[in-house]
Amino acid sequence: QVQLVESGGGSVQAGGSLRLSCAASGLTVSAYYMGWFRQAPGKQREAVAVIESGGWTSYADSTIGRWTISRDDAKNTVFLEMNGLEPEDTAMYYCGADRRPYGGNWFITRADFTYRGQGTQVTVSS
């Protein structure tokens, strides 16, 4: 049974940083497309970062240069380092996993993952 458990969310002021973690069980993160996506009330779901099995990464335009996705294979965990947070980044953040071989940019565009966690809330105040 696949389980993805996110942690690390919280409330920060604009310009601050957070590090989200996604602990996986029931799958091996290095064998999947692992990604982070977010959803704010009244807004469309948006993928922000994806890491492929080979380690290549893809990002939404809004996060390039600010955020970094990485993984620790030994801990079977994926991370999202978020710097330069802005009020517009306020949302529930979810971890996703998928094995469909569509490429990182496909998942960035579609924000559609077979497996997802319960989410962690990020709130950025101005």
Side-chain angles (χ1 to χ4, degrees), residues 21-60:
S21 299
C22 170
S25 58
L27 62 80
T28 301
V29 297
S30 61
Y32 279 69
Y33 288 92
M34 300 298 299
W36 291 92
F37 62 97
R38 63 188 179 187
Q39 186 143 31
K43 293 187 177 181
Q44 202 167 9
R45 184 175 59 202
E46 178 189 18
V48 295
V50 173
I51 185 166
E52 304 183 27
S53 58
W56 297 284
T57 56
S58 302
Y59 295 92

Side-chain angles (χ1 to χ4, degrees), residues 4 20 33 38 43 46 57 60 68 72 76 79 85 92 109 113-114 117 120 125:
L4 303 174
L20 306 184
Y33 288 92
R38 63 188 179 187
K43 293 187 177 181
E46 178 189 18
T57 56
T68 303
D72 184 329
N76 213 36
F79 304 98
L85 283 161
M92 185 71 80
T109 301
F113 295 87
T114 299
T120 185
S125 58

